[in-house]
Amino acid sequence: MNRLFGSTKKTPKPTLNDAIGSTDVRVDAVEVKIRKLDAELTRYRDQLKKMREGPAKKTVQQKAIRVLKQKKLYEAQRDNLQQQSFNMEQAQMTTENLRNVMATVDAMQTANKEMKKQYKNVNLDKIDQLQDEMEDLMEQANEVQETLGRSYNLPDDIDEDDLEAELDALGDELDFEEEEIPSYLQEDSVDLPKAAETDPKLQQDVKLDEYGLPVSAEAPMKA
């Protein structure tokens, strides 16, 4: 039945990605042909170097020229296909950018609607009243702190300048030098005898015995 009346199924239209992929495949195929022609031209060039002038050499030259023309045609086709692929890539990039722009615009519109919806629930008068109440409460708290920190039994007519002058005078009277060390903490300085006084050998007027000890003067015996 499908052969007689045709199929109702529609084939999907090719996308830019499909077109770019198909064009790149054609470019690769043309590149293969160009490489084959390059190899053939290299072979003809080597033959021409070895051949002498004559009909045979002219025949090879004609073949080489024909191959060179084919190469030029394929190169032009390759360049054209590459330009087409580049143009399609540019179109695809532009399409992607526009799609991103539209998505951004949709997101901004959604955010705008949500902000308007939220602002409907905001009452600026209530916010101002709340701020005033907070300010009053802070002032009351400061007054309470000042009241609790008040000093008692101090005259109210004290001048700060008088207090500063008194403090300066008090600083002049204070002695900031180090205190003297108490006598009971001081070490007694002992005067040590000199060497001449302690060394028996240096005492010329004192007689010494055989042990180096001073001999005391013998007292006179009574009759």
Side-chain angles (χ1 to χ4, degrees):
M1 295 296 292
N2 292 334
R3 294 179 180 178
L4 295 177
F5 299 102
S7 177
T8 58
K9 187 177 180 180
K10 295 182 180 180
T11 58
K13 294 181 179 180
T15 62
L16 279 176
N17 288 328
D18 297 335
I20 292 172
S22 176
T23 304
D24 291 339
V25 171
R26 293 170 61 187
V27 170
D28 293 338
V30 173
E31 286 284 355
V32 172
K33 293 180 180 180
I34 291 174
R35 285 196 292 270
K36 289 182 179 178
L37 293 175
D38 285 335
E40 191 173 353
L41 284 173
T42 302
R43 186 174 67 254
Y44 287 149
R45 184 189 61 189
D46 295 339
Q47 290 178 1
L48 290 173
K49 289 180 179 179
K50 298 176 182 179
M51 296 177 67
R52 296 180 180 179
E53 296 293 336
K57 186 175 182 179
K58 290 182 179 180
T59 302
V60 175
Q61 287 178 348
Q62 293 296 327
K63 291 181 180 180
I65 291 173
R66 184 178 68 251
V67 172
L68 185 59
K69 289 180 180 179
Q70 292 178 357
K71 179 184 176 182
K72 294 294 184 182
L73 292 174
Y74 281 126
E75 287 178 347
Q77 185 179 4
R78 178 197 61 189
D79 295 340
N80 189 11
L81 291 174
Q82 288 178 345
Q83 185 63 38
Q84 292 178 11
S85 178
F86 176 75
N87 293 336
M88 287 186 290
E89 288 177 355
Q90 290 291 326
Q92 184 181 20
M93 185 181 300
T94 303
T95 304
E96 290 293 333
N97 291 334
L98 291 175
R99 188 178 292 112
N100 294 331
V101 169
M102 294 304 300
T104 304
V105 172
D106 292 339
M108 292 178 65
Q109 290 178 350
T110 303
N112 189 18
K113 293 179 181 179
E114 187 66 22
M115 290 174 65
K116 289 181 179 179
K117 183 179 178 181
Q118 294 296 330
Y119 271 119
K120 290 180 180 179
N121 300 326
V122 176
N123 191 341
L124 294 178
D125 295 334
K126 289 184 178 180
I127 294 176
D128 291 337
Q129 183 180 358
L130 179 62
Q131 290 291 334
D132 294 337
E133 292 177 356
M134 291 294 295
E135 186 176 0
D136 294 338
L137 290 174
M138 293 298 294
E139 291 179 357
Q140 293 177 7
N142 291 332
E143 291 178 359
V144 171
Q145 293 294 331
E146 292 177 359
T147 302
L148 293 176
R150 184 174 57 188
S151 301
Y152 300 100
N153 296 328
L154 288 178
D156 297 333
D157 56 350
I158 296 178
D159 190 1
E160 293 185 358
D161 295 336
D162 296 338
L163 291 177
E164 292 179 359
E166 185 177 352
L167 182 61
D168 294 336
L170 182 61
D172 295 336
E173 294 177 359
L174 292 177
D175 185 7
F176 293 101
E177 296 181 356
E178 296 181 356
E179 296 181 356
E180 295 183 356
I181 301 175
S183 59
Y184 61 87
L185 293 179
Q186 295 180 357
E187 295 182 358
D188 296 334
S189 59
V190 179
D191 296 333
L192 297 177
K194 298 180 180 179
E197 296 177 357
T198 56
D199 192 356
K201 294 181 179 181
L202 297 177
Q203 295 178 357
Q204 300 296 332
D205 297 336
V206 180
K207 296 181 179 182
L208 302 178
D209 58 3
E210 58 182 352
Y211 299 102
L213 298 176
V215 179
S216 61
E218 294 182 358
M221 298 181 64
K222 295 182 180 180

